[in-house]
Coordinates of all heavy atoms in Angstrom, one line a residue:
M1 N 13.9 -28.2 -5.5 CA 14.3 -28.8 -4.3 C 14.2 -27.7 -3.2 O 14.6 -26.6 -3.3 CB 15.7 -29.2 -4.5 CG 16.5 -29.4 -3.3 SD 16.9 -31.1 -3.2 CE 17.7 -31.2 -1.6
R2 N 13.5 -28.1 -2.1 CA 13.3 -27.2 -1.0 C 14.5 -27.2 -0.1 O 15.1 -28.2 0.1 CB 12.0 -27.6 -0.2 CG 10.7 -27.3 -1.0 CD 9.5 -27.9 -0.3 NE 9.7 -29.4 -0.4 CZ 8.9 -30.2 0.4 NH1 7.9 -29.7 1.1 NH2 9.0 -31.4 0.2
L3 N 14.7 -26.1 0.6 CA 15.8 -26.0 1.6 C 15.4 -26.9 2.7 O 16.3 -27.5 3.5 CB 16.0 -24.7 2.0 CG 17.0 -23.9 1.2 CD1 17.1 -22.4 1.7 CD2 18.4 -24.4 1.2
V4 N 14.1 -26.9 3.2 CA 13.7 -27.5 4.4 C 12.6 -28.5 4.1 O 11.7 -28.1 3.2 CB 13.2 -26.4 5.3 CG1 12.7 -27.1 6.6 CG2 14.3 -25.4 5.7
D5 N 12.5 -29.7 4.6 CA 11.5 -30.6 4.4 C 10.9 -31.0 5.7 O 11.4 -32.0 6.3 CB 12.0 -31.8 3.6 CG 10.8 -32.6 3.1 OD1 9.7 -32.2 3.1 OD2 11.1 -33.8 2.6
W6 N 10.0 -30.2 6.3 CA 9.4 -30.5 7.6 C 8.0 -31.0 7.4 O 7.4 -31.0 6.4 CB 9.4 -29.2 8.5 CG 10.8 -28.7 8.8 CD1 11.8 -29.5 9.0 CD2 11.3 -27.4 9.0 NE1 12.9 -28.7 9.4 CE2 12.6 -27.4 9.3 CE3 10.5 -26.1 8.8 CZ2 13.3 -26.2 9.5 CZ3 11.2 -25.0 9.0 CH2 12.6 -25.0 9.4
S7 N 7.5 -31.5 8.6 CA 6.1 -32.0 8.5 C 5.2 -30.8 8.3 O 5.5 -29.7 8.6 CB 5.8 -32.7 9.9 OG 5.9 -31.8 10.9
S8 N 4.0 -31.2 7.8 CA 3.0 -30.1 7.5 C 2.7 -29.2 8.6 O 2.7 -28.0 8.4 CB 1.8 -30.8 7.0 OG 1.9 -31.4 5.8
P9 N 2.4 -29.7 9.9 CA 2.1 -28.7 11.0 C 3.2 -27.8 11.3 O 3.0 -26.5 11.5 CB 1.8 -29.6 12.2 CG 1.4 -30.9 11.6 CD 2.2 -31.0 10.3
V10 N 4.5 -28.2 11.2 CA 5.5 -27.4 11.4 C 5.7 -26.3 10.3 O 6.0 -25.1 10.4 CB 7.0 -28.1 11.5 CG1 8.1 -27.2 11.7 CG2 6.8 -29.0 12.8
T11 N 5.5 -26.8 9.1 CA 5.6 -25.9 7.9 C 4.5 -24.8 7.9 O 4.8 -23.6 7.7 CB 5.5 -26.7 6.6 OG1 6.4 -27.7 6.6 CG2 5.7 -25.8 5.4
I12 N 3.3 -25.2 8.3 CA 2.2 -24.2 8.4 C 2.5 -23.2 9.4 O 2.3 -22.0 9.3 CB 0.8 -25.0 8.7 CG1 0.5 -25.8 7.5 CG2 -0.3 -24.0 9.1 CD1 -0.6 -26.8 7.7
L13 N 3.0 -23.6 10.6 CA 3.3 -22.7 11.7 C 4.5 -21.8 11.2 O 4.4 -20.6 11.4 CB 3.8 -23.5 13.0 CG 4.3 -22.6 14.1 CD1 3.0 -21.8 14.6 CD2 4.8 -23.5 15.2
L14 N 5.5 -22.3 10.5 CA 6.5 -21.5 9.9 C 6.0 -20.5 9.0 O 6.4 -19.3 9.0 CB 7.5 -22.3 9.3 CG 8.7 -21.7 8.7 CD1 9.5 -20.9 9.7 CD2 9.6 -22.7 8.0
D15 N 5.1 -20.8 8.1 CA 4.4 -19.9 7.2 C 3.7 -18.8 7.9 O 3.9 -17.6 7.6 CB 3.4 -20.6 6.2 CG 4.0 -21.5 5.3 OD1 5.3 -21.4 5.1 OD2 3.4 -22.4 4.8
F16 N 2.9 -19.0 9.0 CA 2.2 -18.1 9.8 C 3.2 -17.1 10.3 O 3.2 -15.9 10.3 CB 1.3 -18.7 10.8 CG 0.0 -19.0 10.3 CD1 -0.4 -20.3 10.1 CD2 -0.9 -18.1 9.9 CE1 -1.5 -20.8 9.7 CE2 -2.2 -18.5 9.5 CZ -2.5 -19.8 9.3
V17 N 4.3 -17.7 10.9 CA 5.3 -16.8 11.7 C 6.0 -16.0 10.6 O 6.3 -14.9 10.9 CB 6.2 -17.7 12.5 CG1 7.4 -17.0 13.0 CG2 5.5 -18.4 13.7
A18 N 6.4 -16.6 9.6 CA 7.1 -15.8 8.5 C 6.4 -14.7 7.9 O 6.9 -13.6 7.9 CB 7.5 -16.8 7.4
W19 N 5.1 -14.9 7.8 CA 4.3 -13.8 7.2 C 4.1 -12.6 8.3 O 4.2 -11.5 8.0 CB 2.9 -14.2 6.8 CG 2.8 -14.6 5.4 CD1 2.4 -15.9 5.0 CD2 3.3 -14.0 4.2 NE1 2.5 -15.9 3.6 CE2 3.0 -14.8 3.1 CE3 3.8 -12.7 4.0 CZ2 3.4 -14.4 1.8 CZ3 4.1 -12.3 2.7 CH2 3.9 -13.2 1.6
F20 N 4.0 -13.1 9.5 CA 3.8 -12.1 10.7 C 5.1 -11.3 10.8 O 5.1 -10.1 10.8 CB 3.6 -12.9 11.9 CG 3.4 -11.9 13.1 CD1 2.2 -11.2 13.3 CD2 4.4 -11.8 14.1 CE1 2.1 -10.4 14.4 CE2 4.4 -10.9 15.2 CZ 3.2 -10.2 15.3
I21 N 6.3 -11.9 10.7 CA 7.6 -11.3 10.9 C 7.8 -10.3 9.6 O 8.3 -9.2 9.7 CB 8.7 -12.2 11.0 CG1 8.6 -12.9 12.4 CG2 10.1 -11.6 10.8 CD1 9.5 -14.1 12.6
I22 N 7.5 -10.9 8.4 CA 7.7 -10.1 7.2 C 6.9 -8.8 7.2 O 7.3 -7.7 7.0 CB 7.4 -10.9 5.9 CG1 8.5 -12.0 5.7 CG2 7.2 -10.0 4.7 CD1 8.2 -13.0 4.7
H23 N 5.6 -9.0 7.6 CA 4.8 -7.8 7.5 C 5.1 -6.8 8.5 O 5.3 -5.5 8.3 CB 3.2 -8.3 7.8 CG 2.5 -8.6 6.7 ND1 2.4 -9.9 6.3 CD2 1.8 -7.9 5.7 CE1 1.7 -10.0 5.2 NE2 1.3 -8.8 4.8
L24 N 5.5 -7.2 9.7 CA 5.9 -6.3 10.8 C 7.3 -5.6 10.5 O 7.4 -4.5 10.7 CB 5.9 -6.9 12.2 CG 4.6 -7.2 12.8 CD1 4.8 -7.8 14.2 CD2 3.7 -5.9 12.9
S25 N 8.1 -6.4 10.0 CA 9.5 -5.9 9.6 C 9.5 -4.9 8.5 O 10.1 -3.8 8.6 CB 10.4 -7.1 9.3 OG 10.6 -8.0 10.3
V26 N 8.8 -5.2 7.4 CA 8.7 -4.3 6.3 C 8.0 -3.1 6.7 O 8.5 -1.9 6.3 CB 8.1 -5.0 5.1 CG1 7.8 -3.9 4.0 CG2 8.9 -6.1 4.6
A27 N 6.9 -3.1 7.4 CA 6.2 -1.9 7.9 C 7.1 -1.1 8.8 O 7.1 0.2 8.7 CB 4.9 -2.3 8.7
G28 N 7.8 -1.8 9.7 CA 8.7 -1.1 10.6 C 9.8 -0.3 9.9 O 10.1 0.8 10.2
I29 N 10.4 -1.0 9.0 CA 11.5 -0.5 8.2 C 10.9 0.7 7.4 O 11.5 1.8 7.4 CB 12.2 -1.5 7.3 CG1 12.9 -2.5 8.1 CG2 13.0 -0.8 6.3 CD1 13.3 -3.7 7.4
G30 N 9.8 0.5 6.8 CA 9.1 1.7 6.0 C 8.8 2.9 6.8 O 9.0 4.0 6.4
L31 N 8.4 2.7 8.1 CA 8.2 3.8 9.0 C 9.4 4.7 9.3 O 9.4 5.9 9.6 CB 7.6 3.4 10.3 CG 6.1 3.0 10.3 CD1 5.7 2.4 11.6 CD2 5.3 4.2 10.0
H32 N 10.6 4.0 9.2 CA 11.9 4.7 9.5 C 12.6 5.2 8.3 O 13.6 5.8 8.5 CB 12.8 3.7 10.4 CG 12.3 3.4 11.8 ND1 11.5 2.4 12.0 CD2 12.5 4.2 12.9 CE1 11.2 2.4 13.3 NE2 11.8 3.4 13.9
L33 N 12.1 5.0 7.2 CA 12.6 5.6 6.0 C 12.5 7.1 6.0 O 11.3 7.6 6.5 CB 12.0 5.0 4.7 CG 12.4 3.5 4.4 CD1 11.6 3.0 3.2 CD2 13.9 3.3 4.2
P34 N 13.4 7.9 5.5 CA 13.3 9.3 5.6 C 12.1 9.8 4.7 O 11.9 9.3 3.6 CB 14.5 9.9 5.1 CG 15.4 8.7 4.7 CD 14.7 7.5 5.1
G35 N 11.3 10.7 5.2 CA 10.2 11.3 4.4 C 10.6 11.8 3.1 O 9.8 11.8 2.1
R36 N 11.8 12.3 2.9 CA 12.2 12.9 1.7 C 12.2 11.9 0.5 O 12.0 12.3 -0.6 CB 13.6 13.5 1.8 CG 14.7 12.6 2.1 CD 16.1 13.3 2.1 NE 17.1 12.4 2.9 CZ 17.6 11.3 2.4 NH1 17.2 10.8 1.2 NH2 18.4 10.6 3.1
L37 N 12.2 10.6 0.8 CA 12.2 9.6 -0.2 C 10.8 9.5 -0.8 O 10.6 8.9 -2.0 CB 12.5 8.2 0.4 CG 13.9 8.0 0.9 CD1 14.1 6.7 1.6 CD2 14.9 8.2 -0.2
F38 N 9.8 10.1 -0.2 CA 8.4 9.9 -0.6 C 7.8 11.3 -1.1 O 6.6 11.5 -1.2 CB 7.5 9.4 0.5 CG 8.1 8.0 1.0 CD1 8.8 8.0 2.2 CD2 7.9 6.9 0.1 CE1 9.4 6.7 2.6 CE2 8.5 5.7 0.6 CZ 9.2 5.6 1.7
E39 N 8.6 12.3 -1.3 CA 8.2 13.6 -1.7 C 7.8 13.8 -3.2 O 7.0 14.7 -3.5 CB 9.2 14.7 -1.3 CG 9.3 14.8 0.2 CD 10.5 15.9 0.6 OE1 11.2 16.2 -0.3 OE2 10.6 16.1 1.8
Q40 N 8.2 12.9 -4.0 CA 7.9 13.0 -5.4 C 7.3 11.7 -5.9 O 7.5 10.6 -5.4 CB 9.2 13.3 -6.1 CG 9.9 14.6 -5.8 CD 9.1 15.8 -6.3 OE1 8.5 15.8 -7.2 NE2 9.1 16.8 -5.3
D41 N 6.5 11.8 -7.0 CA 6.0 10.6 -7.6 C 7.1 10.1 -8.6 O 7.3 10.4 -9.7 CB 4.8 11.0 -8.5 CG 3.6 11.1 -7.8 OD1 3.5 10.4 -6.7 OD2 2.6 11.6 -8.3
G42 N 7.9 9.1 -8.1 CA 8.9 8.5 -8.9 C 8.2 7.5 -9.8 O 7.0 7.4 -9.9
F43 N 9.1 6.6 -10.4 CA 8.6 5.6 -11.3 C 7.5 4.7 -10.6 O 6.4 4.5 -11.3 CB 9.7 4.7 -11.7 CG 9.2 3.5 -12.5 CD1 9.0 3.6 -13.8 CD2 9.2 2.2 -12.0 CE1 8.5 2.7 -14.6 CE2 8.6 1.2 -12.7 CZ 8.4 1.3 -14.1
L44 N 7.6 4.3 -9.4 CA 6.7 3.4 -8.7 C 5.4 4.1 -8.5 O 4.3 3.5 -8.6 CB 7.2 2.8 -7.5 CG 6.4 1.9 -6.7 CD1 6.1 0.6 -7.5 CD2 7.0 1.5 -5.4
Y45 N 5.4 5.4 -8.2 CA 4.2 6.1 -7.7 C 3.5 6.8 -8.7 O 2.3 7.2 -8.4 CB 4.6 7.0 -6.5 CG 5.5 6.4 -5.4 CD1 6.8 6.8 -5.3 CD2 5.1 5.3 -4.7 CE1 7.6 6.2 -4.4 CE2 5.9 4.8 -3.8 CZ 7.2 5.2 -3.6 OH 8.0 4.6 -2.7
K46 N 4.1 7.1 -9.8 CA 3.4 8.0 -10.7 C 2.1 7.4 -11.2 O 2.1 6.2 -11.5 CB 4.3 8.6 -11.8 CG 4.7 7.5 -12.9 CD 5.6 8.1 -13.9 CE 5.9 7.0 -14.9 NZ 6.8 7.6 -15.9
C47 N 1.2 8.2 -11.6 CA -0.1 7.7 -12.1 C 0.1 7.4 -13.5 O 0.5 8.3 -14.3 CB -1.2 8.7 -11.8 SG -2.9 8.2 -12.1
R48 N -0.2 6.2 -13.9 CA -0.1 5.8 -15.3 C -1.4 6.3 -16.1 O -2.5 6.4 -15.5 CB 0.0 4.3 -15.5 CG 1.1 3.7 -14.6 CD 2.5 4.1 -15.1 NE 3.5 3.3 -14.5 CZ 4.2 3.7 -13.4 NH1 3.9 4.8 -12.7 NH2 5.2 3.0 -12.9
P49 N -1.2 6.5 -17.4 CA -2.4 7.0 -18.2 C -3.6 6.2 -18.1 O -4.7 6.6 -18.0 CB -1.8 7.0 -19.6 CG -0.3 7.2 -19.5 CD 0.1 6.5 -18.3
F50 N -3.4 4.8 -18.1 CA -4.6 3.9 -18.0 C -5.3 4.1 -16.6 O -6.5 3.7 -16.5 CB -4.2 2.4 -18.2 CG -3.6 1.8 -16.9 CD1 -4.3 1.1 -16.0 CD2 -2.2 1.8 -16.7 CE1 -3.9 0.6 -14.9 CE2 -1.6 1.2 -15.6 CZ -2.5 0.6 -14.7
E51 N -4.7 4.6 -15.6 CA -5.3 4.7 -14.3 C -6.3 6.0 -14.3 O -7.2 6.0 -13.4 CB -4.3 4.9 -13.2 CG -3.4 3.7 -13.0 CD -2.4 3.9 -12.0 OE1 -1.3 4.6 -12.2 OE2 -2.6 3.5 -10.8
N52 N -6.1 6.7 -15.2 CA -7.1 7.9 -15.4 C -7.4 8.7 -14.1 O -8.5 8.9 -13.6 CB -8.4 7.5 -16.0 CG -9.3 8.5 -16.5 OD1 -8.9 9.6 -16.7 ND2 -10.6 8.2 -16.7

Side-chain angles (χ1 to χ4, degrees):
M1 167 111 181
R2 292 176 289 174
L3 274 177
V4 180
D5 192 14
W6 293 325
S7 66
S8 291
V10 172
T11 305
I12 291 169
L13 179 64
L14 179 61
D15 290 340
F16 277 108
V17 170
W19 275 124
F20 181 76
I21 290 169
I22 288 168
H23 275 96
L24 287 181
S25 299
V26 172
I29 291 167
L31 281 172
H32 288 91
L33 291 173
R36 63 180 161 70
L37 296 176
F38 305 102
E39 289 175 353
Q40 299 294 319
D41 275 344
F43 174 78
L44 182 63
Y45 312 116
K46 72 179 179 178
C47 194
R48 307 295 191 264
F50 78 89
E51 292 178 283
N52 193 18

